[in-house]
Amino acid sequence: MKVKTKNVLDLTDLSHSELMEVIRLADEIRKKPSDYADSCRGKILATLFYEPSTRTQMSFQTAMLRLGGTIIGFDNPQNSSVAKGESLKDTITVVGGYTDIIAIRNPMEGAAAAAAMYSPVPIVNAGDGGHLHPTQTLTDVITLHNEMGRLDNLTIGLCGDLKNGRTVHSLIKTMSTFKGNKFILISTPELTIPQYIKDIIIASDCSYEEIPGLADAIPQLDVLYMTRIQRERFSSEEEYQRQHGVFILDKAKMKLAKKSMRILHPLPRVDEIDVEVDYDDRAKYFEQTVYGMYGRMALIIKLLEGSVKEFPPRVMPTHPFRCKNPKCITSSEKYLPGIFREAGGDMLICKYCDGRRLI
Ligand code: NCD
């Protein structure tokens, strides 16, 4: 089955059956990698990383290399023409001419959506600021599928920086499309989940509860998704210092958890999981990274199946004004058209960053 979407800006760009097909393919590749060693022979992946990365970039690269394809790209935009002031539009137009698929990570929210407006080849969002991170979610759902045997009726605790953690936003969006999941949101009052993510849960067959303490929440969880406090997204170091070190998963807290609970973490870990916990059988965060590579292999195969190089048609603005979110890609790339969808009353939602503005 060929996937309908050209780009993956969020994992919900895939339908349920497409997602299940990618999960199935990832499993098949993991069991018999040699069958796929030539699947992308002659194809080139570009990894354009405007922000630091270890796992995501390397797993994209190893995924393409293991499929018989090759890779180009940068992990420090200061070594590319970006340092000379080149726009995202121009970089994407040029790199899209050289390659067959692009994975992009950028600190601005909505950057991947902006790239997709100009790219002749599929764009995969490898993280856009504090917004979304669909291939981490693919990694997470493959891990859950294998470790829990299901993606529905799970009680999932998400702990840490729920405001800025893009992996949390993407994971909730996808898991809300399955029935009966309950999200236990564990954060300080300053780092709670954005309202638009809560609205997605409210509109779904899932539910959420906010619990301020990890020890209070842990006994009921099937899954605990730990995250680091996103230092680079704070406006001051003092603010970060006030937030970090609040939630630490250690052996004592693990004693309160179910024997069947699984711990996931997108990594990198800072200090939110004590190293002792790594030796607990319930810790799955290192296995998770390996599942992620197979997930990316499956996704690349699916996106390249029957893909034709074609520049998208020009997109015109829907409204004559700009998004007010200073972290939105439209605030730095001024040529981008303002595109909003109406959300009732005077409320508009930015297509790039999901930011809300009143007219
Ligand atoms: C995450 C990211 O970049 O959002 N890392 C990753 O891709 N595995 C999580 C994080 O940086 O905290």
Side-chain angles (χ1 to χ4, degrees):
M1 186 200 0
K2 193 177 152 331
V3 295
K4 285 210 187 71
T5 184
K6 173 181 172 188
N7 308 296
V8 176
L9 308 179
D10 188 44
L11 204 57
T12 51
D13 290 336
L14 300 178
S15 70
H16 245 202
S17 52
E18 289 172 342
L19 174 61
M20 295 318 290
E21 165 74 6
V22 173
I23 295 175
R24 190 200 56 72
L25 179 58
D27 255 13
E28 201 175 291
I29 302 172
R30 183 166 56 86
K31 289 181 187 140
K32 227 160 174 276
S34 57
D35 281 3
Y36 296 88
D38 282 317
S39 298
C40 289
R41 179 83 49 213
K43 299 289 183 190
I44 303 176
L45 162 78
T47 52
L48 307 185
F49 275 57
Y50 295 74
E51 252 194 349
S53 168
T54 304
R55 267 151 299 278
T56 306
Q57 189 188 27
M58 287 189 191
S59 72
F60 262 113
Q61 294 180 338
T62 48
M64 192 51 153
L65 294 171
R66 283 174 187 276
L67 293 169
T70 48
I71 51 170
I72 63 161
F74 57 72
D75 52 16
N76 178 359
Q78 290 314 314
N79 293 338
S80 77
S81 282
V82 174
K84 300 179 190 167
E86 184 168 67
S87 68
L88 181 66
K89 171 181 184 292
D90 290 0
T91 305
I92 291 294
T93 306
V94 172
V95 175
Y98 296 155
T99 62
D100 301 289
I101 182 166
I102 298 174
I104 180 173
R105 168 171 289 192
N106 191 286
M108 301 302 282
E109 299 177 9
M117 284 168 51
Y118 302 104
S119 177
V121 300
I123 293 284
V124 185
N125 183 6
D128 58 332
H131 187 218
L132 295 168
H133 191 348
T135 61
Q136 181 60 49
T137 300
L138 179 60
T139 301
D140 304 340
V141 294
I142 293 172
T143 310
L144 290 177
H145 192 254
N146 279 284
E147 296 294 333
M148 310 300 298
R150 65 182 197 276
L151 295 174
D152 55 8
N153 295 304
L154 292 168
T155 300
I156 306 170
L158 299 115
C159 178
D161 190 344
L162 308 188
K163 179 180 178 208
N164 301 301
R166 54 193 173 197
T167 63
V168 168
H169 306 162
S170 277
L171 182 59
I172 293 180
K173 277 185 86 175
T174 291
M175 292 306 283
S176 299
T177 67
F178 293 88
K179 281 203 170 61
N181 288 320
K182 181 171 180 191
F183 304 103
I184 307 292
L185 308 173
I186 309 154
S187 74
T188 62
E190 291 80 12
L191 298 182
T192 55
I193 204 101
Q195 186 58 43
Y196 88 92
I197 297 288
K198 284 186 183 170
D199 291 345
I200 288 170
I201 306 174
I202 292 166
S204 75
D205 290 330
C206 297
S207 59
Y208 73 88
E209 193 182 331
E210 294 180 289
I211 298 184
L214 182 52
D216 292 337
I218 209 167
Q220 60 170 308
L221 304 180
D222 298 317
V223 179
L224 173 58
Y225 194 86
M226 290 296 292
T227 63
R228 77 182 167 96
I229 306 301
Q230 305 270 305
R231 185 180 214 145
E232 69 279 23
R233 313 223 185 273
F234 283 78
S235 47
S236 71
E237 180 60 19
E238 296 74 58
E239 216 184 306
Y240 169 72
Q241 289 303 339
R242 271 199 299 278
Q243 294 296 332
H244 109 282
V246 177
F247 299 106
I248 308 239
L249 181 64
D250 55 16
K251 270 173 94 170
K253 289 199 190 75
M254 285 306 293
K255 287 210 174 87
L256 307 171
K258 291 184 196 169
K259 290 265 176 296
S260 58
M261 190 188 81
R262 294 287 178 264
I263 312 162
L264 272 64
H265 190 309
L267 303 180
R269 154 178 57 187
V270 182
D271 54 7
E272 59 283 353
I273 301 182
D274 192 290
V275 175
E276 279 297 317
V277 177
D278 297 359
Y279 304 97
D280 188 307
D281 287 342
R282 293 169 285 185
K284 294 294 167 194
Y285 30 90
F286 292 115
E287 281 95 329
Q288 197 181 342
T289 61
V290 180
Y291 285 126
M293 181 186 69
Y294 291 110
R296 290 182 175 99
M297 288 171 83
L299 188 65
I300 292 171
I301 290 178
K302 283 289 164 196
L303 290 176
L304 288 180
E305 231 166 45
S307 151
V308 245
K309 243 185 210 213
E310 203 167 45
F311 282 98
R314 183 171 186 183
V315 181
M316 301 310 279
T318 55
H319 294 77
F321 38 67
R322 318 284 303 165
C323 178
K324 287 180 185 160
N325 172 8
K327 294 179 180 168
C328 178
I329 187 71
T330 57
S331 75
S332 53
E333 306 274 330
K334 304 282 187 203
Y335 54 85
L336 288 169
I339 306 177
F340 299 89
R341 65 171 194 278
E342 318 231 334
D346 282 346
M347 186 65 81
L348 295 175
I349 299 182
C350 174
K351 169 191 153 70
Y352 303 88
C353 72
D354 285 301
R356 287 142 185 261
R357 65 165 282 162
L358 295 172
I359 292 174

